[in-house]
Amino acid sequence: MSEPTIESILQEKRSFPPSLEFSQKAHVKSLEDYQQLYDQAQANPQKFWADLAQQELHWFQKWDQVMDWQPPFAKWFVGGKINISYNCLDRHLTTWRRNKAALIWEGEPGDSRTLTYAQLHREVSQMANVFKQLGVQKGDRVGIYMPMIPEAAIAMLACARIGAAHTVVFGGFSSEALKDRLVDAAAKLVVTADGGWRKDAIVPLKEQVDKSLANNGAPTVENVLVVERTKQGIQMEPGRDHWWHDLQAGASADCPAEPMDAEDLLFILYTSGTTGKPKGVVHTTGGYNLYTHMTLKWAFDIQDTDVYWCTADVGWITGHSYIVYGPLSNGATTLMYEGAPRASNPGCFWDVVEKYGVNIFYTAPTAIRAFIKMGEEHPNARNLSSLRLLGTVGEPINPEAWMWYHRVIGGERCPIVDTWWQTETGGFMITPLPGATPTKPGSATRPFPGIIADVVDLEGNPVADNQGGYLVVKHPWPGMLRTVYGNPERFRRTYWEHIPPKDGQYLYFAGDGARKDEDGYFWVMGRVDDVINVAGHRLGTMEVESALVSHPAVAEAAVVGKPDEVKGEEVCAFVTLEGSYSASEELKQDLKQHVVKEIGAIARPGEIRFTEAMPKTRSGKIMRRLLRNLASGQEVAGDTSTLEDRSVLDKLRGGS
Ligand code: PRX
């Protein structure tokens, strides 16, 4: 693990208080209100969450115990019966929201669709019946490998309705990556589409599913349900493959939501870690429902009149929590967009904002940096006056990008809500409450009420203000991951053992370095483990290394992050070759393509450097710190005395 360092750009002193106009209408109206909520939650977390669960959600049956904490395993609302699809749909139907837009979809090229709560409820119920007809039962797992179309959300909600767990796999992942996930989750059904539109081209999703299932690749999968989206003509295997529209046509829209135990599995979402294959992060029903509901309500100040747009893909946690579950549980209007900004259409996001009068907009710093490059004439040429709040997530936002977002997109009137959280946390953890918290460019500000976060050293001792350390959470929260699917030991090792319990208190280790300033504001500095963040996507360096060494030419590979102006980081791979292979430009391209095939385009190395040997310690460990220095073109810093063969370093400096 590397030590976090404090960078000079974090000496940021600017502060932006909420406007009076915003605060007056907000759910949480002042810093005093925030402090009061925070203090209440700290004094009695169980009462705090239980009161909210009672007020904000529908329960078929109330819980017997608010929290059961057998470290590091937490249960929330034990004995309670709930269904998140009921909370996202049914309960709104008896109110004026019945005919309110639940989901607005803007597709590419130029298609669009709006589903009211009543319509969404109908389609979800039909699909829930289709799933049952295909043999899916409560407790089964369903793989979802979809483009950004309403059917992705419908499939997720249909799973939740009948108590099947979904595992959504981002459509940019390769057939190999899909196969690994379907096997690990032992999925019974896969929901996909013939294809999806991505930057003016078709992504052949069904073809990828076919590859992953070929040769009995994922033996538990019995059926494949296919949405017709791009109509390019695909193979359908009789008996296994079914068209969504065919089965929907004959399906009843009557499918009452199954009362689920609060701790029943809701979904598994795979994410990269330090070692081995991606791990299946497990989220359960009741706590996750409450946590995504409350965080969206208070941190994004969602109101009934808002059109809310989160630009993430449903394949990531941001899409789960803040395109689907959080917004619909609140009865909000959530917008889903299939497109992505690109050279041929640099203003497409701003067209969507203008077309639908988007009020709340949530994106990632990498996108903001790409917009800066494309030029402010694109947003300036559109009417963005409907916007009232801007959110950011996925990586630390550099103050320049923050200021640009504030000025050019937010017209200097919109609060910027920088949300720090993870796949594992379920929802926002450190975030401003926009009517209450003065913001500072580059800081996610303060913890959400009920979250006790701190910055500590490796022994668990809090570090002094403005000192770098490790970000930890000191008390369980309802949205936290419950375990790693099928691997509780990995759960324990990854999150609870890097830093030992302190005075009997377990500390959740987030894997991020941070510092806290004199106002209690958190400044997250990025990962301290072997995880890199490429354009807001989390990648394990080991995963990319395994992909590389599975190529016959590669003897050894070491992957590090290299700073990139737009993506934050990009993959830089150091590779030694097997004796019979020699370095060439062609081989570089071949290796890049190999990684795409093994993992997906998001992992394509930006740079491959061939080297005769790796810098290693005498005990044979690759000194990644040196490679990181080399990749970023910096002088090799720190101690190199443990290096086994110093001439390796000189050769690497020469590069190839
Ligand atoms: O390093 C942190 C970074 O993204 C990691 C979590 O990645 P993932 O599980 O894919 O979830 C991304 C979306 C929630 C974190 O460990 N990260 C996320 N948000 C921020 C951030 N780093 C700094 N500031 C943020 N706002």
Side-chain angles (χ1 to χ4, degrees), residues 419-442:
T419 59
W420 176 84
W421 61 294
Q422 309 177 295
T423 306
E424 292 86 342
T425 68
F428 309 153
M429 297 293 279
I430 301 181
T431 175
L433 301 190
T437 320
T439 52
K440 301 186 190 185

Short mmCIF file of all heavy atoms in Angstrom, two decimals, residues 419-442:
data_model
loop_
_atom_site.label_atom_id
_atom_site.label_comp_id
_atom_site.label_asym_id
_atom_site.label_seq_id
_atom_site.Cartn_x
_atom_site.Cartn_y
_atom_site.Cartn_z
N THR A 419 -19.98 14.31 -4.43
CA THR A 419 -20.38 13.18 -3.61
C THR A 419 -19.28 12.12 -3.59
O THR A 419 -18.97 11.53 -4.61
CB THR A 419 -21.66 12.54 -4.18
OG1 THR A 419 -21.40 12.12 -5.53
CG2 THR A 419 -22.81 13.52 -4.19
N TRP A 420 -18.70 11.88 -2.42
CA TRP A 420 -17.75 10.78 -2.30
C TRP A 420 -18.48 9.53 -1.82
O TRP A 420 -19.15 9.58 -0.78
CB TRP A 420 -16.60 11.09 -1.33
CG TRP A 420 -15.72 9.88 -1.17
CD1 TRP A 420 -14.70 9.52 -1.99
CD2 TRP A 420 -15.84 8.82 -0.20
NE1 TRP A 420 -14.18 8.31 -1.59
CE2 TRP A 420 -14.86 7.86 -0.50
CE3 TRP A 420 -16.70 8.60 0.88
CZ2 TRP A 420 -14.70 6.69 0.25
CZ3 TRP A 420 -16.55 7.43 1.62
CH2 TRP A 420 -15.54 6.50 1.31
N TRP A 421 -18.33 8.46 -2.56
CA TRP A 421 -18.90 7.17 -2.15
C TRP A 421 -18.34 6.08 -3.03
O TRP A 421 -17.45 6.34 -3.84
CB TRP A 421 -20.43 7.22 -2.15
CG TRP A 421 -21.10 7.51 -3.46
CD1 TRP A 421 -21.04 8.67 -4.19
CD2 TRP A 421 -21.96 6.64 -4.21
NE1 TRP A 421 -21.81 8.57 -5.32
CE2 TRP A 421 -22.38 7.33 -5.36
CE3 TRP A 421 -22.43 5.34 -4.00
CZ2 TRP A 421 -23.22 6.77 -6.31
CZ3 TRP A 421 -23.28 4.78 -4.94
CH2 TRP A 421 -23.67 5.50 -6.08
N GLN A 422 -18.83 4.86 -2.86
CA GLN A 422 -18.27 3.70 -3.56
C GLN A 422 -19.37 2.68 -3.84
O GLN A 422 -20.42 2.71 -3.19
CB GLN A 422 -17.24 2.99 -2.66
CG GLN A 422 -16.19 3.89 -2.08
CD GLN A 422 -15.26 3.12 -1.16
OE1 GLN A 422 -15.68 2.62 -0.12
NE2 GLN A 422 -13.99 3.03 -1.54
N THR A 423 -19.04 1.71 -4.71
CA THR A 423 -19.95 0.59 -4.95
C THR A 423 -20.35 -0.02 -3.60
O THR A 423 -21.51 -0.38 -3.38
CB THR A 423 -19.24 -0.48 -5.80
OG1 THR A 423 -18.74 0.14 -6.98
CG2 THR A 423 -20.17 -1.61 -6.18
N GLU A 424 -19.39 -0.12 -2.71
CA GLU A 424 -19.60 -0.78 -1.43
C GLU A 424 -20.51 0.00 -0.50
O GLU A 424 -21.14 -0.58 0.38
CB GLU A 424 -18.26 -0.97 -0.72
CG GLU A 424 -17.31 -1.96 -1.37
CD GLU A 424 -16.43 -1.36 -2.47
OE1 GLU A 424 -16.77 -0.26 -2.96
OE2 GLU A 424 -15.42 -1.98 -2.82
N THR A 425 -20.52 1.32 -0.63
CA THR A 425 -21.25 2.12 0.37
C THR A 425 -22.74 2.25 0.02
O THR A 425 -23.51 2.72 0.85
CB THR A 425 -20.65 3.53 0.55
OG1 THR A 425 -20.87 4.28 -0.64
CG2 THR A 425 -19.16 3.48 0.87
N GLY A 426 -23.11 1.88 -1.20
CA GLY A 426 -24.52 1.93 -1.60
C GLY A 426 -24.99 3.31 -2.00
O GLY A 426 -25.77 3.46 -2.93
N GLY A 427 -24.55 4.32 -1.27
CA GLY A 427 -24.99 5.69 -1.53
C GLY A 427 -23.94 6.68 -1.05
O GLY A 427 -22.89 6.30 -0.52
N PHE A 428 -24.29 7.98 -1.20
CA PHE A 428 -23.36 9.06 -0.84
C PHE A 428 -22.93 8.95 0.62
O PHE A 428 -23.76 8.69 1.49
CB PHE A 428 -24.03 10.44 -0.95
CG PHE A 428 -24.73 10.73 -2.24
CD1 PHE A 428 -25.80 11.63 -2.26
CD2 PHE A 428 -24.33 10.17 -3.44
CE1 PHE A 428 -26.45 11.95 -3.44
CE2 PHE A 428 -24.98 10.48 -4.63
CZ PHE A 428 -26.05 11.37 -4.62
N MET A 429 -21.68 9.20 0.88
CA MET A 429 -21.15 9.13 2.25
C MET A 429 -20.67 10.49 2.73
O MET A 429 -20.93 10.91 3.84
CB MET A 429 -19.99 8.15 2.31
CG MET A 429 -20.36 6.72 1.97
SD MET A 429 -21.44 5.99 3.18
CE MET A 429 -20.25 5.52 4.43
N ILE A 430 -19.88 11.14 1.86
CA ILE A 430 -19.40 12.48 2.20
C ILE A 430 -19.91 13.38 1.09
O ILE A 430 -19.65 13.13 -0.09
CB ILE A 430 -17.87 12.50 2.30
CG1 ILE A 430 -17.43 11.50 3.36
CG2 ILE A 430 -17.36 13.91 2.61
CD1 ILE A 430 -15.94 11.42 3.58
N THR A 431 -20.67 14.38 1.48
CA THR A 431 -21.35 15.20 0.48
C THR A 431 -21.89 16.47 1.12
O THR A 431 -22.30 16.44 2.27
CB THR A 431 -22.53 14.42 -0.16
OG1 THR A 431 -23.24 15.28 -1.05
CG2 THR A 431 -23.51 13.90 0.89
N PRO A 432 -21.89 17.55 0.37
CA PRO A 432 -22.60 18.72 0.89
C PRO A 432 -24.11 18.45 0.92
O PRO A 432 -24.59 17.65 0.12
CB PRO A 432 -22.31 19.82 -0.14
CG PRO A 432 -21.29 19.29 -1.08
CD PRO A 432 -21.29 17.79 -0.96
N LEU A 433 -24.83 19.11 1.83
CA LEU A 433 -26.28 19.21 1.68
C LEU A 433 -26.47 20.63 1.13
O LEU A 433 -26.09 21.60 1.78
CB LEU A 433 -26.99 19.02 3.02
CG LEU A 433 -26.73 17.69 3.74
CD1 LEU A 433 -27.68 17.51 4.92
CD2 LEU A 433 -26.84 16.49 2.80
N PRO A 434 -27.00 20.74 -0.09
CA PRO A 434 -26.81 21.97 -0.86
C PRO A 434 -27.43 23.23 -0.27
O PRO A 434 -26.94 24.32 -0.53
CB PRO A 434 -27.45 21.63 -2.21
CG PRO A 434 -28.40 20.51 -1.91
CD PRO A 434 -27.77 19.73 -0.80
N GLY A 435 -28.47 23.08 0.54
CA GLY A 435 -29.03 24.28 1.16
C GLY A 435 -28.32 24.64 2.46
O GLY A 435 -28.65 25.65 3.09
N ALA A 436 -27.39 23.80 2.87
CA ALA A 436 -26.79 23.98 4.19
C ALA A 436 -25.27 24.18 4.16
O ALA A 436 -24.74 25.01 4.90
CB ALA A 436 -27.10 22.75 5.05
N THR A 437 -24.59 23.43 3.34
CA THR A 437 -23.14 23.34 3.44
C THR A 437 -22.42 24.28 2.48
O THR A 437 -22.59 24.15 1.26
CB THR A 437 -22.68 21.89 3.11
OG1 THR A 437 -23.58 20.96 3.69
CG2 THR A 437 -21.26 21.63 3.57
N PRO A 438 -21.62 25.21 2.99
CA PRO A 438 -20.77 25.98 2.06
C PRO A 438 -19.80 25.01 1.37
O PRO A 438 -19.26 24.12 2.02
CB PRO A 438 -20.01 26.95 2.97
CG PRO A 438 -20.77 26.97 4.25
CD PRO A 438 -21.42 25.61 4.37
N THR A 439 -19.62 25.16 0.07
CA THR A 439 -18.76 24.23 -0.66
C THR A 439 -17.38 24.84 -0.90
O THR A 439 -17.23 26.06 -0.93
CB THR A 439 -19.40 23.84 -2.00
OG1 THR A 439 -19.75 25.04 -2.69
CG2 THR A 439 -20.64 23.00 -1.79
N LYS A 440 -16.40 23.95 -1.05
CA LYS A 440 -15.04 24.37 -1.40
C LYS A 440 -14.63 23.55 -2.62
O LYS A 440 -14.77 22.32 -2.59
CB LYS A 440 -14.07 24.06 -0.25
CG LYS A 440 -14.42 24.72 1.09
CD LYS A 440 -13.29 24.43 2.09
CE LYS A 440 -13.68 24.84 3.50
NZ LYS A 440 -12.58 24.68 4.47
N PRO A 441 -14.12 24.19 -3.66
CA PRO A 441 -13.79 23.44 -4.88
C PRO A 441 -12.77 22.34 -4.63
O PRO A 441 -11.66 22.60 -4.19
CB PRO A 441 -13.20 24.51 -5.80
CG PRO A 441 -13.69 25.81 -5.25
CD PRO A 441 -13.85 25.62 -3.78
N GLY A 442 -13.18 21.09 -4.88
CA GLY A 442 -12.27 19.96 -4.71
C GLY A 442 -12.52 19.18 -3.44
O GLY A 442 -11.91 18.13 -3.24
#
